[in-house]
Amino acid sequence: MASLTPPQAAPKWTHTAQEILDLTKAAIAKHKEVEDKVAALSPEDFTFETVLEYPYLQLALSDAETEFDLINDPLSFYQNVSPSKELRDASNEAEVLVRDYGVDSSMRLDVFKAKQAADENIKRSGKKLNAEEQRLVEKMILDGTRAGLALPEEKRNELSKLQKEVSQVSLEFSKNFNEEKGTISFTLEELEGVPADVVSGYVKRQEDGKDLYDVTFKTPDIFPIFKFAQNPSTRQKAFEAYEDRLVINTPLMEKMLALRRQIAALLGYDTWADYRTEIKMVKSGRNVIDFLADLEQKLRPVGTKERDTLLVLKKQEHEELGIPFDGEFYIWDYRYYDRKFVEKTLDLDDMKVKEYFPVDKVVPAILEIYQTLLGVKFVEIKGETWHPEVQQFAVWESDAKDESGFVGYCYLDLFPRESKYSHAAVWGLLPGFTRADGTRHYPLTAMVANLAKPTPSKPALMRHDDVVTFFHEMGHVFHGLLSSTQFARFHGTRVARDFVEAPSQMLENWCWEPKVLEKMSSHYETKEPLSSELIEKIVKSRYVNIGLFSLRQLFFGQFDIKVHTSKDSADYTALWNTLRESVSLVKGGKFTAGQATFNHISGGYDAGYYGYMYSLVFAADMYATVFKADPLDPARGQKYREKILRVGGSRDDIDSLKDFLGREPNSDAFINEIFGSGDAKSAL
């Protein structure tokens, strides 16, 4: 298979800053030219037979939009991964141009009227469109309505100005998030309890005659302090600095939310949340509030019991160490005592488990599991990438004999570096779609992660949490690779935002299956897989303190929906801290600007964070119904590929779910997972 040549070349990654801007401007001009041609046509020209050499107008516009995205999506990606500040700045500047143009394009009344006239002509012609073509026509009309094209000209102009402003603010918010370079320093004494191999990776320096260790706010550096630092003052200092690392974003969030309130009002929506959820499965802001409140009510007794148990553990340790105990359980206590509880009750040491998950074993093992389950093959290739550490793969059908078996490209950028996107995420850089001549354009997906690098004493190792995250993100990769839609608009993860996480959340279950854990583990020294005893402990740990964990997720969701359903501005720092204490059941210290680190709110999940919990209901149902009996069965994998991945967003997500499950989805599996019975399921 390595001898096969992909029918589509991989893109280049050697752009200069000037090229990024020039290509972006050229793409904008080309797209505008198509829209100008459409606008110049008279209504009688919108026949079914031909519009600008296309069977109907929507196809001409769809192709123009796709060609526009094929150029601009990779160029805007540089800002998240490029080691060059010049390229990152150019990429960010290019995205500003694209977003501003996108606002102008979406507000073109002449093009919208052309779409409406074309829609009427299609209906009058009696010609039948296929289901995906009909969906495209309907979505294009809805786009115009939601863009405010029914408004009078004065209000349309005002709306356009506000949308450009909010786009600029959200880009600046995300840029600050990506480029944050802060550190916090500790003495070796303050770091007592943090594993030596982690400490050995910190930058050591001298100040006033004493050794200090500089800790970045990247996950592999700072999170071990939350989990292992014995001194509560160290954990508090680390947590409060981490929460305050992006205080520069505080005024940007205030401005962003104010602009969204104005836009929602202009468009005639009661709140921004109502505008954002109208096209999602949940349908309204009120439904989100009700969903989160109902789940909080069910989880609160579970979380309270867990917190009280951890508080007893804290009291015991403070007495043993001679540390004053004030009877409170703080947020910087949570990860530390959650770990201690697991170690004590299950005799499960997270750092020992990590030794069985070397990156160079886990990544190929996870790829192998997915390849077998879904019937594909990854072939590593050596081509252009944006950084030497990036791995590049050509992906083929497992039985490919010629170029017709090509699936697409995948890039893995797995390790942290300065100014790189600091969490884990997947970008669909190129979509798959059918060209006008019937040939295929193939997708490209890129996973960006921040796994721990090797230390002087040990190779790069993954915590079990990291393994779960990697498996989850690979789920998004395959959603992007194995979708096969007619139009790019519906490709891959371009589904409802409150469904998009469900497939990947379902796939997390594999990381708790004994035979999968054995398959992807190998001790970095002995090469032995996890023992059955250790695997049993890992599986038992899955729902330990699940109430507190879930309440923390609900806090993020409630903050998000509260600021997007409120009609007035507020002290968002105070709201963040008081709401966290109320919902998460853990005390805080001084107020910190944690909301300024909440990048989801600027990155497309605004009024959408609830979706993580909402989609868990679907994920649990999918896994329990189809995969639980045999999670590595390729036949079940093919069913998943056909019913969920292939169709992307080309039909309503509820229809894909029903097709996959063979019935309407329900919350039984989710409730059984969290609570162990169906007793609490009534209002979910």
Side-chain angles (χ1 to χ4, degrees), residues 256-456:
M256 187 161 47
L257 294 173
L259 289 166
R260 286 173 180 165
R261 285 193 294 273
Q262 290 176 262
I263 291 169
L266 262 179
L267 289 170
Y269 292 89
D270 193 39
T271 67
W272 180 259
D274 288 325
Y275 168 67
R276 291 289 283 162
T277 56
E278 178 187 34
I279 54 173
K280 297 179 184 177
M281 295 182 80
V282 78
K283 298 305 179 192
S284 74
R286 168 46 58 189
N287 287 345
V288 174
I289 292 168
D290 291 346
F291 169 76
L292 294 175
D294 179 67
L295 200 49
E296 183 189 353
Q297 181 188 9
K298 291 175 170 61
L299 287 166
R300 183 169 280 272
V302 182
T304 300
K305 185 178 178 182
E306 292 169 355
R307 181 198 60 191
D308 292 346
T309 299
L310 296 183
L311 195 57
V312 169
L313 197 61
K314 178 182 177 180
K315 184 173 185 289
Q316 290 172 348
E317 183 178 69
H318 276 229
E319 288 172 352
E320 290 168 7
L321 297 174
I323 302 172
F325 177 69
D326 62 5
E328 297 289 358
F329 193 76
Y330 295 98
I331 187 161
W332 52 84
D333 291 330
Y334 168 66
R335 291 183 190 274
Y336 180 78
Y337 287 104
D338 178 64
R339 173 187 64 83
K340 298 280 280 190
F341 179 80
V342 170
E343 288 179 2
K344 182 177 180 181
T345 58
L346 295 174
D347 189 26
L348 185 63
D349 184 342
D350 190 45
M351 299 310 288
K352 290 290 184 190
V353 171
K354 187 167 90 165
E355 294 178 353
Y356 287 87
F357 292 123
V359 171
D360 62 2
K361 161 68 179 178
V362 174
V363 171
I366 290 178
L367 290 180
E368 182 60 36
I369 289 166
Y370 271 110
Q371 289 173 100
T372 303
L373 184 69
L374 298 173
V376 295
K377 186 72 176 171
F378 271 51
V379 178
E380 188 163 7
I381 54 178
K382 301 296 181 184
E384 274 184 22
T385 63
W386 52 88
H387 191 274
E389 290 180 345
V390 177
Q391 290 177 278
Q392 183 185 19
F393 298 90
V395 186
W396 299 84
E397 298 288 356
S398 57
D399 59 354
K401 300 290 190 298
D402 54 39
E403 66 177 30
S404 66
F406 184 63
V407 172
Y409 291 104
C410 173
Y411 294 74
L412 300 180
D413 185 352
L414 301 181
F415 299 103
R417 58 181 178 268
E418 191 175 281
S419 299
K420 176 188 165 184
Y421 180 82
S422 58
H423 289 281
V426 170
W427 275 262
L429 295 179
L430 298 175
F433 59 92
T434 302
R435 296 188 182 93
D437 63 5
T439 60
R440 287 294 291 174
H441 181 278
Y442 298 96
L444 184 158
T445 57
M447 186 209 288
V448 177
N450 285 271
L451 304 178
K453 285 190 170 185
T455 69

